[in-house]
Amino acid sequence: MSRPAKSPLDAFDHKILAILQRDNTTPQRTIGEAVGLSAPAVQRRIKRMTEDGVIRANVAVLDSAALGQSITIFVEVEVISETAKQIEQAKSQFAAAPEIQQCYYVTGEADFILVIVVPSMADYEALTRRLFFSNNNVKRFRTFVAMDRVKVGLSVPIER
Amino acid sequence: MSRPAKSPLDAFDHKILAILQRDNTTPQRTIGEAVGLSAPAVQRRIKRMTEDGVIRANVAVLDSAALGQSITIFVEVEVISETAKQIEQAKSQFAAAPEIQQCYYVTGEADFILVIVVPSMADYEALTRRLFFSNNNVKRFRTFVAMDRVKVGLSVPIER
DNA sequence: GCTCCAACGAAACAAACTTGCAAAACAGCC
DNA sequence: GGCTGTTTTGCAAGTTTGTTTCGTTGGAGC
């Protein structure tokens, strides 16, 4: 079947997205006033962009410390064999772990970069044993512990 | 004045948060059915957790590629001098750049880890010139280009 | 100049959120 | 054990917000 044709985004869409990625509880009426459209027009654009996948999700951002998950850790993982099958397996293993908040497959001196959120260093230690030491394909990994989350978010720069 | 006393989170709160950080457009009535409370009870808990800062923000997650920002890059930055003043200055500089999506101050072989989103490598090159080469306190930086965003999010693991 | 198509706004409508209030659950204390 | 003050709940009414309908407008193509 025909995939929904992604209509190009105009200046209205950009303004709407900029507002939504900062606060998606903003009433459509308020957004309309800010961008110069009526509430139904805003609503239609949001619906279209959601269907087109421009808006991927609507989520609450939680304070990890308040949930007892106060440590953020970066890990660079280097693998031994980079066959397609091995890489796919690593990806799905990393994606499945709830402690792994983000996982990227990268070029450079490492193969994967992970962002991990755990309650304590003991939990991290247990996780490394489970994910890295018991995995024959992991050659090496380097750990960076976050002392300060200077800036955290998923905001995409929007040109205007 | 007395800061709002953070009441401890119970099992209801945990379930509500788990739902909201997956989809914060879920109606309160639906959440109520899922957790075993009435809609007003859910609403009051959400309000309390928002005031307490457990819920930090409510945002739309956008597809960076759809906005022409298709490259994600990790950078490890090593600085020369780590005086409080220098570090604070670096933090505020990084936090102010819209291309920098995330910035962490870390222990280990690097001092800062940045997650950067840009439209092209040319833009990244320009950014490095502006942020690193023109900054006397940057000793070294290592670049990792993301080939695959295996898992992206800000979800915090919630124990139950 | 006409037609077709896409997008708009005003208004009616539906759904969700919010508030007031009385009852139930709970904790501390005689 | 039973009393009392506090907290939280559910229900119902009221308000805000989201959604749909429908008639209109502004262009692009012919």
Side-chain angles (χ1 to χ4, degrees):
Chain A
M1 277 312 287
S2 65
R3 183 146 330 165
K6 294 195 181 183
S7 21
L9 306 177
D10 63 12
F12 286 125
D13 293 324
H14 283 169
K15 282 190 193 172
I16 293 170
L17 292 173
I19 293 172
L20 290 180
Q21 85 168 338
R22 201 166 43 84
D23 178 9
N24 72 355
T25 67
T26 312
Q28 293 172 354
R29 186 175 60 81
T30 307
I31 298 175
E33 288 165 6
V35 306
L37 283 175
S38 68
V42 172
Q43 132 85 6
R44 282 186 283 255
R45 282 165 180 269
I46 292 174
K47 186 185 176 193
R48 173 171 52 78
M49 291 190 286
T50 302
E51 288 168 350
D52 288 353
V54 178
I55 298 172
R56 299 188 78 88
N58 288 282
V59 303
V61 180
L62 309 184
D63 182 66
S64 56
L67 286 157
Q69 311 278 335
S70 47
I71 300 182
T72 299
I73 294 176
F74 284 79
V75 189
E76 289 176 21
V77 181
E78 204 175 331
V79 299
I80 294 169
S81 160
E82 236 174 315
T83 65
K85 177 172 246 170
Q86 302 253 35
I87 292 300
E88 282 311 315
Q89 197 215 335
K91 283 183 184 178
S92 54
Q93 190 189 4
F94 291 149
E99 301 93 338
I100 299 183
Q101 190 181 71
Q102 303 171 45
C103 169
Y104 302 83
Y105 181 47
V106 300
T107 66
E109 296 168 50
D111 298 307
F112 288 96
I113 292 185
L114 310 178
V115 181
I116 292 178
V117 176
V118 285
S120 72
M121 286 309 288
D123 292 282
Y124 176 60
E125 203 269 335
L127 187 66
T128 60
R129 210 168 312 138
R130 187 151 53 79
L131 284 179
F132 308 140
F133 290 121
S134 69
N135 185 331
N136 292 332
N137 197 34
V138 170
K139 185 197 296 181
R140 209 165 62 88
F141 68 95
R142 296 206 300 165
T143 298
F144 302 85
V145 180
M147 291 183 287
D148 185 8
R149 287 172 263 233
V150 181
K151 187 177 188 179
V152 182
L154 296 176
S155 292
V156 177
I158 296 177
E159 43 221 331
R160 18 101 156 267
Chain B
M1 277 311 288
S2 65
R3 186 145 327 169
K6 294 195 183 184
S7 19
L9 306 178
D10 62 12
F12 286 126
D13 293 324
H14 284 170
K15 282 189 193 172
I16 293 170
L17 291 173
I19 293 172
L20 289 181
Q21 84 170 338
R22 203 165 43 82
D23 179 8
N24 73 353
T25 67
T26 311
Q28 294 172 352
R29 186 175 137 275
T30 307
I31 298 174
E33 289 166 4
V35 306
L37 283 176
S38 67
V42 172
Q43 131 82 5
R44 282 183 281 254
R45 282 164 180 271
I46 293 175
K47 185 185 177 193
R48 174 171 52 78
M49 292 190 284
T50 302
E51 288 167 351
D52 288 354
V54 178
I55 298 173
R56 299 187 78 87
N58 287 281
V59 303
V61 180
L62 310 184
D63 181 65
S64 56
L67 286 157
Q69 312 277 336
S70 47
I71 300 182
T72 299
I73 294 174
F74 283 79
V75 189
E76 289 177 21
V77 180
E78 204 176 328
V79 299
I80 295 169
S81 160
E82 236 175 315
T83 65
K85 176 172 250 171
Q86 302 254 37
I87 292 301
E88 281 313 314
Q89 198 214 336
K91 284 183 185 176
S92 54
Q93 190 189 5
F94 291 149
E99 301 92 338
I100 298 182
Q101 190 180 72
Q102 302 172 46
C103 169
Y104 302 83
Y105 180 47
V106 300
T107 68
E109 297 167 50
D111 298 306
F112 288 97
I113 291 184
L114 309 179
V115 181
I116 292 178
V117 176
V118 284
S120 71
M121 287 309 286
D123 291 281
Y124 176 60
E125 203 270 336
L127 187 66
T128 60
R129 212 169 310 140
R130 186 152 56 80
L131 284 179
F132 307 140
F133 289 121
S134 68
N135 186 332
N136 292 332
N137 197 35
V138 171
K139 185 197 296 180
R140 209 164 62 86
F141 68 95
R142 294 206 301 167
T143 299
F144 302 85
V145 180
M147 290 183 287
D148 186 8
R149 287 172 263 230
V150 180
K151 186 178 189 180
V152 182
L154 297 175
S155 291
V156 177
I158 296 177
E159 45 221 331
R160 20 103 154 260

